[in-house]
Amino acid sequence: MTDTNAVDLYYDPFDFDIDDNPYPIWKRLRDEAPLYYNEKFDFYALSRFEDVTRELPNFQTYRSGRGTTMDVMMSGLEVPPGVILFEDPPLHDLHRRVLSKVFTPRRMEAIEPLTRQYCVHALDPLVGSGRFDFIEDLGAQIPMRTIGYLLDIPEGDQEQIRDKTGRALGLKEGTFKTVTADAFENSYQLFAEYIDWRGEHPSDDLMTQLLNAEIEVEDGNPRPLTRTEVLTYTSMIAGAGNETTTRLIGFIGQLLSEHPDQRRQLVDDFSLIPRAIEEILRYEAPSPVQARSVAHDTECRGEKIPEGSVMLLLNGSANRDERHFPDGEHFDIHRSGGHLSFGQGLHFCLGSALARMQARVALEEILKRWPEWQVDYDNAAMAHTSSVRGWGKLPVITG
């Protein structure tokens, strides 16, 4: 049941103060109001692991077609085709099959040595300086270089695209901001010239694959992707791949600064790094809130939820639910048991293997150079968007 009497229990996904550290409020939601209702913005929220893990794959009831962020849903936008995060079956399944052919094991294997090369190039000049920034010097660089390689975007243009994408996603005020239809078009038009050029100069890259891709429609006959679909795919890959992995690398810097004993274990044994990355993902999900539209009248925790309602699935909260994760508010690189940071079901993150690889390689290269560091919180700052949370600046002092 919603806790209508706990007037001091308030969760607002737009509030920067809450977003900076939502975990105390999420814990209260789990304990006091596992089905929470916000009157101001007219949404419901589920925060416990058992509820979130059950409903994330339940697309029959909780739909993504109106968007998966509160601002897009509240703005009433018609989402262009190709943003698979904002699609439901059967269109989602058609588009996802196309992208699954892009994120192949062969391509991921080819990217790892390049990722390591990017890290070496970024970090070596900083050795001996006594400090570096996990975001500005590394986290914002490595995903951009990797996505640029996948899309075959010239290195000189990558930073400009990343910065434009970041400005479009970034929020300056902790309140609801209407998203206009231009936002989608502006984001994918960044890639129009590259798509047109690649159409005339095919290569072994993601853009060429998308231009040559076909999807099977209802009559069973394949058709090529439309230009808008190719543009939207490209924009989505660039935006999602940059933002989430950047925040993950920032959380690596924060959590291993706060837990130096566990960091020392990683210095002594790099084989522990993959599990440490999973624990970082569990403890600090870069994309911790998934919005859904209720497709039909339903019942949840004994309450009726009307059709058309907005339901927030708080996977970032579910990741720390003590009912599923013993001592879930405690960070432990030896923990096992999974997490919901890459989603679940049909919207499970297609780029999860790529993100894990980039985080692992980045951490290996950092630890080779700096076995010790401390975050300079006086000069650190969180970034705020409607879809991801994490550090915008995270300078550290190296030992």
Side-chain angles (χ1 to χ4, degrees), residues 44-100:
Y44 295 85
L46 290 171
S47 51
R48 289 185 182 177
F49 183 90
E50 64 172 339
D51 294 325
V52 176
T53 195
R54 180 185 66 248
E55 305 303 0
L56 272 174
N58 180 12
F59 69 89
Q60 293 92 346
T61 302
Y62 298 105
R63 310 284 282 181
S64 302
R66 286 176 49 202
T68 59
T69 61
M70 278 277 292
D71 57 346
V72 170
M73 296 178 74
M74 290 172 61
S75 300
L77 291 177
E78 183 174 344
V79 181
V83 186
I84 61 172
L85 292 173
F86 295 173
E87 291 180 342
D88 298 305
L91 183 61
H92 166 275
D93 298 344
L94 293 173
H95 284 152
R96 188 178 177 95
R97 278 197 290 271
V98 172
L99 277 185
S100 67

Side-chain angles (χ1 to χ4, degrees), residues 149-364:
Y149 164 76
L150 277 172
L151 297 172
D152 198 16
I153 293 174
E155 187 170 322
D157 296 347
Q158 293 171 10
E159 191 164 335
Q160 180 183 15
I161 290 175
R162 181 204 64 198
D163 291 345
K164 285 183 177 179
T165 301
R167 285 195 297 270
L169 292 173
L171 300 175
K172 292 184 172 58
E173 297 179 3
T175 186
F176 167 64
K177 173 187 174 184
T178 301
V179 180
T180 65
D182 291 343
F184 287 107
E185 183 166 355
N186 290 342
S187 65
Y188 66 65
Q189 287 300 337
L190 286 174
F191 302 93
E193 291 184 13
Y194 304 108
I195 291 290
D196 293 341
W197 192 88
R198 186 54 69 202
E200 298 176 2
H201 304 83
S203 180
D204 181 25
D205 65 359
L206 186 149
M207 282 192 193
T208 302
Q209 282 189 264
L210 291 176
L211 286 165
N212 293 331
E214 293 183 331
I215 60 175
E216 291 187 6
V217 291
E218 293 181 359
D219 61 7
N221 296 317
R223 68 160 177 85
L225 296 177
T226 67
R227 185 172 185 274
T228 297
E229 285 174 320
V230 174
L231 286 169
T232 307
Y233 272 133
T234 304
S235 173
M236 180 194 65
I237 292 168
N242 269 316
E243 280 294 311
T244 52
T245 307
T246 296
R247 305 309 159 207
L248 171 57
I249 292 173
F251 286 134
I252 289 173
Q254 171 204 337
L255 291 173
L256 294 182
S257 173
E258 294 176 352
H259 300 86
D261 55 332
Q262 298 189 56
R263 183 182 63 211
R264 282 191 287 270
Q265 294 178 49
L266 298 179
V267 172
D268 294 337
D269 185 359
F270 275 21
S271 71
L272 298 176
I273 288 178
R275 180 170 285 186
I277 298 298
E278 296 306 302
E279 176 65 352
I280 291 165
L281 283 162
R282 181 196 72 86
Y283 199 76
E284 289 281 13
S287 178
V289 179
Q290 314 305 317
R292 298 290 188 267
S293 174
V294 179
H296 53 79
D297 291 351
T298 189
E299 187 172 295
C300 182
R301 289 198 161 269
E303 288 199 27
K304 290 184 179 180
I305 311 295
E307 177 183 348
S309 298
V310 174
M311 176 67 78
L312 299 188
L313 304 176
L314 306 181
N315 55 305
S317 168
N319 278 344
R320 295 198 186 188
D321 188 356
E322 301 86 345
R323 296 157 190 81
H324 182 81
F325 298 99
D327 199 11
E329 298 282 359
H330 175 68
F331 178 77
D332 180 7
I333 62 171
H334 300 287
R335 186 189 299 272
S336 59
H339 54 76
L340 299 175
S341 294
F342 288 126
Q344 192 171 26
L346 61 93
H347 283 294
F348 184 82
C349 177
L350 269 171
S352 59
L354 179 61
R356 285 173 163 131
M357 180 275 290
Q358 291 180 96
R360 172 177 56 79
V361 170
L363 181 51
E364 288 172 357

